[in-house]
Amino acid sequence: MAEETDEARAAADAVLAGVRAALRQLEAVSDPAVRATAAGLVLREWAGEKTLPKEIRQQAVAHLHEQLGLDFPEIGRLIGTDRSRAWQVYKGI
């Protein structure tokens, strides 16, 4: 697991709080059948949404490497992993 920094943890917590708040909007749907159906749709489509954080992480690693000129051992240290995992993130593996 990547090493957490206070800043990274705070950013992740803020995003997760926003996601939870958005999901809680389902509770406001008054018709229970519609609410259940909408929740089912969210559950079914949720798997496709997990690619967005992966893409954001890959773009950030690409920026560190391509724009800032960092090598993969340096990137690995910055994101709390080893150089081979940093390279895999860069390649989208």
Side-chain angles (χ1 to χ4, degrees):
M1 178 109 188
E3 179 182 321
E4 292 181 6
T5 64
D6 290 342
E7 187 177 0
R9 181 75 261 166
D13 287 346
V15 168
L16 290 169
V19 169
R20 286 185 195 100
L23 290 170
R24 291 278 180 203
Q25 292 178 33
L26 288 168
E27 294 174 327
V29 176
S30 60
D31 183 320
V34 173
R35 186 170 58 245
T37 303
L41 289 167
V42 169
L43 286 168
R44 187 173 68 209
E45 295 174 17
W46 187 258
E49 296 303 317
K50 73 178 183 181
T51 61
L52 183 56
K54 180 181 176 184
E55 291 169 8
I56 292 167
R57 180 180 61 177
Q58 185 179 7
Q59 290 168 357
V61 168
H63 181 86
L64 291 168
H65 180 63
E66 296 168 4
Q67 305 300 315
L68 301 181
L70 300 180
D71 62 20
F72 293 107
E74 292 172 306
I75 294 169
R77 280 191 295 279
L78 284 173
I79 67 171
T81 191
D82 62 32
R83 68 175 188 241
S84 64
R85 183 64 191 131
W87 180 84
Q88 290 172 340
V89 169
Y90 175 73
K91 290 297 190 178
I93 299 172

